[in-house]
Amino acid sequence: MEKIVIIGGGFAGLNLVKRLDPEKYRISLVDRNNFHCFPPLFYQIASSGLVSANICFPFRREIKKMKNVSYHMGHVKQIDIAAKKVTTSYETLEYDRLIIAAGSTNNYFGMENLAEETFGIKTVAEAAHTRDEILDRLERGAICHDPERRRRLLTFLVVGGGPSGVEIAGAIGEMKKYILSKEYPELKPDDVTVTLIEAAPQLLGAMKKKSRDRAVKDLESLMVNVRLNTGLKSYENKYVTFADGHKEYYETLIWTAGVKGEPIPGLPPETIGRGNRIIVDEYNRVKGYEDSIMAVGDIALMQCEAYPNGHPQMAQPAIQQARNLAKNLNKGEFRHKFEYLDKGSMATIGKNRAVADLKGFSFSGFFAWLTWLFIHLISILGMRNKLSVMVNWFWNYLFYSTSLRLLLRPTRFPLRKHWGD
């Protein structure tokens, strides 16, 4: 029986685990976290709309009834292609076929100090940390008696006008417009500054003009300052230097501006392409190692006429690539080339505010928002999680109130250095 090692348990990795033939393959799933999560809702963790447990599901719970499937916690340290071995933080695994579905990480475009200076929503941990930062600033602002210092404490800059940036900016805007008067009576909306910048001339570049314009209008209605054609040059000592040279003070910078493939040690340089993604053919086989190594999802760079820079780094391409690869592997031959079926794009800006470009038509407002809710709700793993999310959404819709605005600072000791391995 062939041994398959899958690196990464995101949308692509988990779909592979579910669809590969357990009578034909012994499957080992490797991930640094012991759970699958739902990244489209990370911004709701950051804005205190949901807790992490609502959108995460343990791998062991998901695979417990699957035959010949095992989960291995660990961060990949090295791939030995010649020996066909993967070394993680804690063990070494042998494979006959290796499938890399490690996803993507933040791309700071050469400004590497931003990794330590800014907040993000790319992982569950980052989203929770961003939530703590937002709540910390609101609490400190509420007890600050110096108007100028209070204003500086409550400055939030979101960098990146894609769906993640639009959604987190809209969520903070909702807090500014609707939550402050209820839960932070010491603060006024004018005390809080929320700015969203995008280097391109429009938000949501993959969507239609009608949707892009509506997104700007909805953000502005939530008291968010939207600046297009505005790039970031640096961020030091809380001062942002923009591409045109002028500087502004922002206490909290949330980065959503770009992603790149997760680094995978051991792969030859010729297999790595644009955006640190792994070059694959139309069957998701890695260039030069077609018989033994494949890559799917965000980390895979499959260039074709329709997508010369690779497919969008979103959930649907990852899921479809995984299903197509599983079909080929189960049949024992690479017969079906991957063809991406674009099902459309969506983004929510706040309650009753969303934009949707589905196949053949676009719409916005309340019905787009309901559609967004439904699609995301059915995509979450676990009935308990679905019910928890639905209850939270219903309560927040009625009352703009939640018991989830908890500032949970991690304890410092005892140190657990191996968690960073």
Side-chain angles (χ1 to χ4, degrees):
M1 183 177 286
E2 283 193 63
K3 292 179 286 186
I4 291 183
V5 172
I6 300 173
I7 300 174
F11 288 121
L14 194 58
N15 269 275
L16 277 165
V17 169
K18 290 180 176 181
R19 292 177 180 270
L20 286 170
D21 186 353
E23 301 296 333
K24 192 171 185 178
Y25 301 109
R26 181 174 289 110
I27 304 159
S28 299
L29 174 64
V30 177
D31 198 294
R32 69 185 70 181
N33 299 310
N34 73 337
F35 55 84
H36 171 80
C37 53
F38 191 67
L41 293 180
F42 282 171
Y43 86 94
Q44 292 214 357
I45 296 176
S47 57
S48 303
L50 297 172
V51 294
S52 302
N54 291 153
I55 61 170
C56 298
F57 200 82
F59 286 127
R60 293 189 180 278
R61 174 80 179 276
E62 185 68 9
I63 69 174
K64 66 179 181 180
K65 294 182 180 179
M66 295 182 186
K67 183 179 179 182
N68 288 327
V69 177
S70 60
Y71 163 70
H72 301 256
M73 185 180 75
H75 177 57
V76 173
K77 292 293 188 180
Q78 186 67 29
I79 295 174
D80 187 336
I81 295 177
K84 290 191 172 183
K85 293 181 179 180
V86 175
T87 300
T88 74
S89 320
Y90 311 111
E91 61 180 335
T92 297
L93 300 171
E94 297 181 350
Y95 67 84
D96 295 304
R97 296 182 191 266
L98 175 66
I99 305 177
I100 303 171
S104 56
T105 187
N106 290 309
N107 186 355
Y108 298 107
F109 304 104
M111 298 175 285
E112 296 309 318
N113 71 301
L114 297 186
E116 298 180 1
E117 300 292 335
T118 67
F119 294 82
I121 52 173
K122 193 72 182 68
T123 66
V124 174
E126 284 186 5
H129 194 28
T130 299
R131 176 204 61 209
D132 289 349
E133 171 72 3
I134 293 170
L135 295 178
D136 178 80
R137 292 299 179 263
L138 291 175
E139 295 293 353
R140 288 172 60 185
I143 59 174
C144 180
H145 301 293
D146 180 347
E148 178 61 21
R149 176 55 184 155
R150 180 194 299 156
R151 186 195 66 79
R152 290 164 72 93
L153 273 171
L154 299 174
T155 49
F156 300 92
L157 178 67
V158 179
V159 182
S164 295
V166 166
E167 288 169 348
I168 187 60
I172 301 174
E174 276 197 322
M175 295 176 73
K176 173 181 177 176
K177 188 171 183 177
Y178 300 111
I179 303 295
L180 289 187
S181 61
K182 291 176 176 289
E183 300 191 16
Y184 299 89
E186 303 90 346
L187 300 175
K188 299 176 182 178
D190 288 343
D191 291 329
V192 180
T193 300
V194 184
T195 302
L196 170 65
I197 66 169
E198 167 57 46
Q202 69 277 320
L203 300 180
L204 302 173
M207 300 188 76
K208 297 178 181 177
K209 185 178 187 303
K210 178 183 176 182
S211 297
R212 298 197 298 260
D213 293 344
R214 180 59 184 263
V216 172
K217 181 180 178 181
D218 284 344
L219 285 168
E220 290 176 342
S221 74
L222 292 173
M223 308 173 76
V224 176
N225 305 316
V226 179
R227 299 186 194 171
L228 304 176
N229 296 302
T230 303
L232 182 144
K233 186 177 180 181
S234 67
Y235 181 61
E236 296 179 0
N237 300 318
K238 304 293 184 181
Y239 278 93
V240 173
T241 302
F242 294 97
D244 62 4
H246 83 279
K247 293 186 177 183
E248 293 180 20
Y249 184 94
Y250 282 96
E251 188 82 11
T252 303
L253 191 154
I254 301 174
W255 182 266
T256 69
V259 296
K260 63 181 179 180
E262 185 76 35
I264 301 294
L267 292 182
E270 61 269 19
T271 65
I272 307 300
R274 177 189 174 97
N276 204 48
R277 300 168 77 178
I278 301 171
I279 301 170
V280 298
D281 63 14
E282 61 268 34
Y283 301 102
N284 286 95
R285 300 176 299 187
V286 176
K287 176 184 177 182
Y289 302 92
E290 287 81 0
D291 293 333
S292 58
I293 307 178
M294 296 106 208
V296 290
D298 286 3
I299 202 167
L301 178 63
M302 184 188 296
Q303 296 170 302
C304 58
E305 185 177 348
Y307 298 95
N309 294 322
H311 294 88
Q313 290 168 288
M314 301 188 302
Q316 274 304 315
I319 293 169
Q320 293 178 32
Q321 285 184 3
R323 291 176 177 176
N324 188 71
L325 178 58
K327 182 192 300 184
N328 284 322
L329 288 172
N330 289 341
K331 289 185 176 180
E333 57 181 331
F334 290 90
R335 181 187 304 172
H336 300 280
K337 295 181 180 181
F338 175 71
E339 294 183 9
Y340 174 47
L341 174 60
D342 188 354
K343 296 183 178 181
S345 302
M346 304 184 74
T348 181
I349 298 99
K351 186 170 80 173
N352 298 335
R353 298 176 174 91
V355 291
D357 287 349
L358 301 184
K359 200 163 187 178
F361 64 101
S362 300
F363 58 110
S364 59
F366 177 70
F367 289 107
W369 180 73
L370 281 181
T371 304
W372 182 93
L373 289 180
F374 176 75
I375 290 175
H376 284 70
L377 190 62
I378 64 173
S379 301
I380 297 171
L381 287 182
M383 183 54 65
R384 181 177 179 181
N385 284 4
K386 295 181 197 293
L387 291 173
S388 296
V389 170
M390 187 168 63
V391 168
N392 273 301
W393 282 349
F394 180 71
W395 190 263
N396 290 343
Y397 183 81
L398 291 179
F399 304 110
Y400 265 123
S401 180
T402 176
S403 60
L404 305 181
R405 268 185 280 281
L406 307 175
L407 179 52
L408 304 173
R409 296 188 180 93
T411 57
R412 185 178 180 185
F413 297 109
L415 295 177
R416 288 293 183 268
K417 294 182 180 180
H418 64 275
W419 284 2
D421 288 346

